[in-house]
Amino acid sequence: MTDTTYTGFGDKALPFLKALGFHQNREWFHENKPIFEEHLNEPRGRLIDDLAVRLAEKKIPLTCSRKASTFRINRDVRFAKEKHPYNTHVSAVITRSGTKKDQGLLYFHVSPDESFLAVGFYSMESDEVRAFREAIVARKDQFDVALKPLTALGFAFDRENSLKRTPRGFEDITDPEIVDLLRLRHLTLSRRFSPDRLEGTALLDDLTELAIAAQPFLNFGWRVIDPVRAARDEPNR
């Protein structure tokens, strides 16, 4: 395997993000920007570079790049109720195209409050969500098998934004486990990780392990939503 350049986030990474929560102004950020670059931004870039190489070596159909896969530290406050200008976390996505708009992703989130890894399908279009729900009902056994590698690693579905009622068209479903899945707005699973995973190559190893374990679930979802997207993108005849 290719040698890695990623050796972990800096020891000032989390303290910087915590302090940034108290100092939400341009002057403080620019005065301390060298800390951000050295302890957070550059390590994140090296992590992404090395992960892309590992994924390619293992022939996993996911990739990432510093330019396309990372989220800015500056917040877009145009339509936000809270107007503080900076995020207090750093993050990135890993997708088939390496861009943030692609469905079927891995995600990592580094924060002093809650760091976590995530995987799945987030903010799908309504026709994609419906097709996914129909596939779960029709092929629940296959869906369960696809999830096993992820649940074995401690990943669980994110239920914070679940619907309170079963979506229209599925009211006759009575199996409580299936109903619970049908009410999910996003088909994403996550797992928190402790600050010590930011040291050495631990996070790189965790993301590689996640990418391998996620393949059955991502393949299940891609087989569902790719035809939906293809039909939508066809020019009207």
Side-chain angles (χ1 to χ4, degrees):
M1 180 177 292
T2 304
D3 291 337
T4 62
T5 61
Y6 172 72
T7 57
F9 282 79
D11 57 4
K12 295 181 181 178
L14 296 182
F16 173 88
L17 291 172
K18 188 173 178 114
L20 183 58
F22 292 98
H23 301 282
Q24 285 284 320
N25 61 78
R26 284 177 56 86
E27 293 75 20
W28 186 91
F29 180 80
H30 284 281
E31 182 179 339
N32 292 275
K33 190 174 181 180
I35 298 176
F36 168 72
E37 292 295 340
E38 178 183 351
H39 293 259
L40 283 157
N41 200 33
E42 181 58 25
R44 176 177 60 175
R46 291 180 180 179
L47 172 60
I48 288 170
D49 289 344
D50 289 348
L51 181 60
V53 172
R54 284 197 181 185
L55 296 174
E57 289 177 341
K58 295 180 180 297
K59 295 182 170 43
I60 294 173
L62 294 167
T63 191
C64 46
S65 69
R66 297 190 187 210
K67 182 176 181 180
S69 305
T70 58
F71 293 90
R72 299 176 61 204
I73 193 74
N74 302 78
R75 294 181 67 242
D76 184 352
V77 298
R78 290 174 299 173
F79 308 107
K81 291 182 180 179
E82 296 181 7
K83 298 299 183 181
H84 54 273
Y86 299 105
N87 289 309
T88 55
H89 65 269
V90 295
S91 56
V93 295
I94 301 93
T95 64
R96 285 184 291 182
S97 66
T99 67
K100 294 187 278 288
K101 293 183 178 180
D102 205 357
Q103 276 294 353
L105 57 85
L106 309 185
Y107 173 81
F108 68 85
H109 182 104
V110 176
S111 163
D113 299 319
E114 180 186 55
S115 295
F116 63 91
L117 302 178
V119 56
F121 297 81
Y122 183 79
S123 288
M124 290 181 284
E125 298 292 339
S126 59
D127 54 354
E128 297 167 359
V129 175
R130 182 170 185 84
F132 216 126
R133 287 169 174 159
E134 290 173 348
I136 290 172
V137 173
R139 303 191 295 278
K140 178 62 165 50
D141 290 344
Q142 294 178 28
F143 184 75
D144 288 343
V145 171
L147 285 177
K148 278 186 178 180
L150 291 171
T151 57
L153 292 178
F155 284 81
F157 276 108
D158 302 304
R159 292 183 165 84
E160 291 83 357
N161 297 311
S162 294
L163 299 171
K164 293 186 190 241
R165 297 183 179 180
T166 304
R168 185 178 302 174
F170 298 93
E171 296 90 347
D172 59 337
I173 304 297
T174 58
D175 185 318
E177 184 179 351
I178 296 180
V179 169
D180 178 61
L181 292 169
L182 296 177
R183 291 182 179 181
L184 295 175
R185 292 180 186 270
H186 313 289
L187 273 298
T188 59
L189 302 92
S190 63
R191 185 189 74 189
R192 295 184 182 183
F193 63 85
S194 60
D196 65 287
R197 304 309 290 174
L198 298 176
E199 301 172 5
T201 62
L203 188 54
L204 175 60
D205 297 334
D206 292 345
L207 282 163
T208 305
E209 179 183 57
L210 172 58
I212 294 169
Q215 286 310 290
F217 175 57
L218 293 177
N219 284 329
F220 182 96
W222 287 329
R223 285 194 295 268
V224 171
I225 69 171
D226 283 353
V228 175
R229 287 190 156 197
R232 189 198 310 138
D233 293 340
E234 285 182 1
N236 296 326
R237 296 182 179 178

